[in-house]
Structure formats: C-alpha cells, structure tokens
Amino acid sequence: MEQLAHQQAETLAAIAAAASADALETIRIAALGKQGWISALLKTLGAMTPDQRSVEGPRIHAARESVTAALAARKADLENAELEQRLARETIDLTLPAPERPRGSIHPVSQVMDELAEIFADMGFAVASGPEIEDDWHNFTALNMPETHPARAMHDTFYFPDQDAAGRSMLLRTHTSPVQIRTMLAVVEKNPGGAPLRIIAPGRVYRSDSDATHTPMFHQVEGLVIDKGIHLGHLKWTLETFLKAYFERDDIVLRLRPSYFPFTEPSVEVDVGYTLVSGKRVLGGSEGWMELLGSGMVNRKVIEMGGLDPDVWQGFAFGVGVDRLAMLKYGMDDLRAFFDGDGRWLAHYGFGAGDVPTLSAGVGTQAGARA
Ligand code: DAH
C-alpha cells in the first residue's frame, strides 16, 4: 500500500504542475481512464477477502476522490489564469470614435408594397393577406380550377407530399388570388348579406421556375372589388389611376386585350405603353406595349365560392407582379438579384428608413433610389 500512497502523491504533483488542459487530460487518463492505475486498483477489490476489502476499499476510493478533485481544481485555475491573461491583453480605448455602423436599407419590394398600400388606401382599399402554405381548394378549386382543369398545369406548383390533419392537399400558393376567396368568405361570415369590399393583397407566391425573369419565390399583389353594379369601366379607371400614381406620370396609356383566366369572365390582359428614348423603353405614351397584368370581372362561379350571390354582387379583380413593378420603376434588370441578399445591391437599390411613400410627397422617384 506504500505503492498507492506513492502513486497518489506523484499524480497530485503532476496535476499541480500541469500547464494546460491537454496535460491534465493525459494525467486523468493515466489515473482514472480505463487502463488507469486507480481503475486497475478498483478491479482488485473483487478478489479480496471482506476484511482486506474493508481496509483497502476506502483507501482506493479516497485516492480516486482526491485525484478527481485536484483535476477539477487545477482545471478551474488554468481557465481563470487564461481569462486573466486575456483581460489584461484586450484593452478598449473608450475615447476612440464609435465605428461607423453599416446602415440598413428598405428592400425595393417592401418599398413598392408600401407604395401600393398608400395608393390604394387613397381609393378606399384595405390590405388583406392569406397564408403562403395554402390548400388546394383555395388556390385552385374555389377559383374555378377544378382538379382536371388544364390551367393548373401552368402553375408549376410546389405540392406538399402529405395531406394536412383535415385531409386537405397542401401546397405553396402559386398566386395571391386565393386571398380573394378568403376575403369574401370572411366578410360573409361576419355579415351574411356579404360585401361590398375593396382589398389589395400583396405577398409572396411560389412556382417551380428559375431564370433571369423567374424565381421560385416572387411577389404579387392581388386586387379585388365586390359591390353592386361593378363593370369593366371601374376596372379600367382603377388600374389607370393606380398606374399613373405609381409611375408618377400622367401620360400612362393602357391597352386592354381579351384574355382568359378561369377566375374572371371576361378576362383582360393589360398592356402599358412605352416610348423609346435613345433606345431605352420609358413608360408613357404608346410607341410600344408591354404586358403588365392580368385582370377581369370576377367569374360568377368564384363569387358563389366566396359565399355571395352573383345576381346581387359583381366585382373585378387583378393580379400583378410586385417585383416586375419594382423593376420597371427603379430600373433593375435581373430578378434573381432581388433575393441574393447582396449588401452592395441593397445599398444601391434600397431605400432609407425615412423614404416613406406618401401621396402628397410622392410615392416614388424623388423619395426613392439613393443610387
Ligand atoms: N392569378 C393570376 C396569376 O397568378 C393573375 C391574375 C389574373 C389575377 C387575373 C387576377 C386576375 O385577379 O383577375 O397569374
């Protein structure tokens, strides 16, 4: 047992002299590890007589405890010493000027959405929203696209593999149009007579598509008006008023072309006229046309799906890409850069927190891009 006392003393001395966590670990393994000397002694207890064990057991356990405690104490000492050293090394000169903080900026998409809310609020529209994880019924069926409808195929939909708890097929909404249904149903729930309503619904939408002008996530704004006696003239006036305010030009000219969407009847595709100024397209005038948005009179079936009587209520709706609106106004040409999160792009195209769009101060250009 001289042996034990000797080994214990040696181990404790080594611990006291250890200069690093690594050195301590080596000592710990040599004593307490599987092959360590204390572990080996513990194994001998089984073969001892009860008398021997009652003498040797406490000695071996005491050795184990003292080594364990010494290891922990030394470890704490080493850590403290390191902290002290670091604190002595690191000094902060509080008299230095504060570093210039990088200034955040408002993303053009957020800015344009604020501009839209401002313009439409002035025409009596509220802002509505709906979920991005949508069910098949709201995204398609209720918009007059039953399961077999060919228009579904054009949406490049991201479907979820499993149904939700209620057994509904779920997807990432492919457009903001399902907010039309949700808004009508919510109005009817509050007031069984339903309507009138005037909303815009800006938000994210998703399609499996990617190139310079398509990203798997992009933004749309939906518009919906439901009232009595609504006709195409209201739609045209609303879009004209909106686009003149948005582009801040009185010479915006629209061209309505017959088109097809399952949820509108009749459907119109709206083009906006441009003028060529030294080879560049500038909105305004009618030298050429570019396609801008889809719209139409809300299909009777959709009004019914919204819980309203189409013999009493009529409406118009439109849907337009927010990113595209931003590109046309602020001159970006690659949609993908919108979502790269590159600080340089944001510094160039972003807006300051003070650039709040108001109709009186102008919703855009003069408040806008700090290029
Ligand atoms: N939901 C259509 C799309 O994503 C856009 C659209 C067209 C919306 C016509 C409308 C509308 O409300 O009336 O392509």
Side-chain angles (χ1 to χ4, degrees):
M1 284 310 116
E2 281 305 300
Q3 176 78 359
L4 187 151
H6 181 70
Q7 269 182 312
Q8 182 174 346
E10 235 176 32
T11 302
L12 291 176
I15 291 171
S20 69
D22 283 351
L24 275 183
E25 181 62 7
T26 309
I27 299 167
R28 189 191 66 77
I29 291 169
L32 300 168
K34 264 198 192 140
Q35 320 284 339
W37 65 266
I38 296 183
S39 309
L41 283 177
L42 283 168
K43 280 183 209 143
T44 62
L45 287 173
M48 290 179 188
T49 63
D51 280 352
Q52 267 180 318
R53 197 178 305 131
S54 67
V55 176
E56 296 306 326
R59 292 187 62 194
I60 299 170
H61 283 294
R64 185 173 65 173
E65 259 150 49
S66 76
V67 167
T68 307
L71 282 168
R74 183 69 188 144
K75 187 162 171 242
D77 283 352
L78 286 175
E79 281 169 1
N80 279 341
E82 195 193 304
L83 182 63
E84 291 294 331
Q85 268 179 16
R86 223 180 53 223
L87 289 176
R89 229 179 15 249
E90 287 175 4
T91 53
I92 300 176
D93 183 349
L94 294 175
T95 64
L96 284 174
E100 199 191 327
R101 288 245 222 106
R103 267 188 293 153
S105 61
I106 311 276
H107 196 285
V109 170
S110 303
Q111 183 77 10
V112 167
M113 284 184 175
D114 288 349
E115 293 177 18
L116 298 174
E118 173 69 14
I119 293 168
F120 278 100
D122 198 53
M123 293 193 265
F125 285 65
V127 173
S129 64
E132 289 168 32
I133 296 177
E134 188 52 284
D135 60 77
D136 195 275
W137 188 82
H138 283 94
N139 196 79
F140 290 128
T141 311
L143 289 162
N144 194 30
M145 280 184 268
E147 233 148 78
T148 51
H149 201 289
R152 282 192 177 212
M154 291 163 58
H155 277 223
D156 300 312
T157 311
F158 288 112
Y159 287 97
F160 285 85
D162 301 317
Q163 300 187 327
D164 78 345
R168 297 175 305 174
S169 308
M170 303 303 286
L171 44 81
L172 294 178
R173 68 177 179 189
T174 56
H175 51 176
T176 43
S177 302
V179 184
Q180 291 187 27
I181 303 294
R182 289 185 174 276
T183 311
M184 283 189 268
L185 290 173
V187 166
V188 173
E189 193 176 325
K190 261 199 231 147
N191 167 17
L197 62 89
R198 260 180 270 178
I199 56 122
I200 58 164
R204 297 190 184 97
V205 300
Y206 301 83
R207 291 188 199 177
S208 178
D209 206 352
S210 186
D211 58 39
T213 52
H214 298 88
T215 48
M217 186 280 301
F218 58 105
H219 300 84
Q220 287 188 335
V221 60
E222 194 78 12
L224 174 69
V225 167
I226 300 280
D227 209 331
K228 290 178 180 163
I230 295 292
H231 54 72
L232 268 180
H234 295 120
L235 168 63
K236 185 161 190 248
W237 179 87
T238 305
L239 291 177
E240 252 167 24
T241 306
F242 148 49
L243 292 168
K244 283 179 179 169
Y246 176 73
F247 289 113
E248 295 182 288
R249 299 183 64 115
D250 281 330
D251 61 348
I252 295 286
V253 187
L254 298 188
R255 185 172 77 172
L256 273 55
R257 280 181 293 112
S259 182
Y260 173 75
F261 300 102
F263 28 91
T264 43
E265 183 55 41
S267 302
V268 285
E269 194 98 39
V270 178
D271 297 341
V272 59
Y274 62 79
T275 311
L276 284 174
V277 179
S278 41
K280 279 184 102 181
R281 294 172 174 191
V282 176
L283 289 189
S286 56
E287 260 177 41
W289 301 97
M290 58 181 120
E291 213 176 287
L292 191 62
L293 57 87
S295 64
M297 301 306 296
V298 182
N299 193 306
R300 288 176 62 89
K301 288 190 188 154
V302 173
I303 294 189
E304 271 172 18
M305 290 289 197
L308 294 167
D309 179 353
D311 287 330
V312 178
W313 301 105
Q314 296 78 46
F316 67 78
F318 59 89
V320 53
V322 173
D323 316 287
R324 182 157 159 73
L325 284 176
M327 289 167 91
L328 285 173
K329 184 164 172 180
Y330 295 115
M332 308 84 165
D333 55 9
D334 190 337
L335 178 62
R336 288 168 296 199
F338 275 59
F339 311 119
D340 281 347
D342 184 331
R344 292 165 303 178
W345 188 89
L346 273 171
H348 185 77
Y349 287 113
F351 292 78
D355 297 337
V356 179
T358 60
L359 282 179
S360 52
V363 287
T365 37
Q366 66 269 53
R370 297 182 275 120

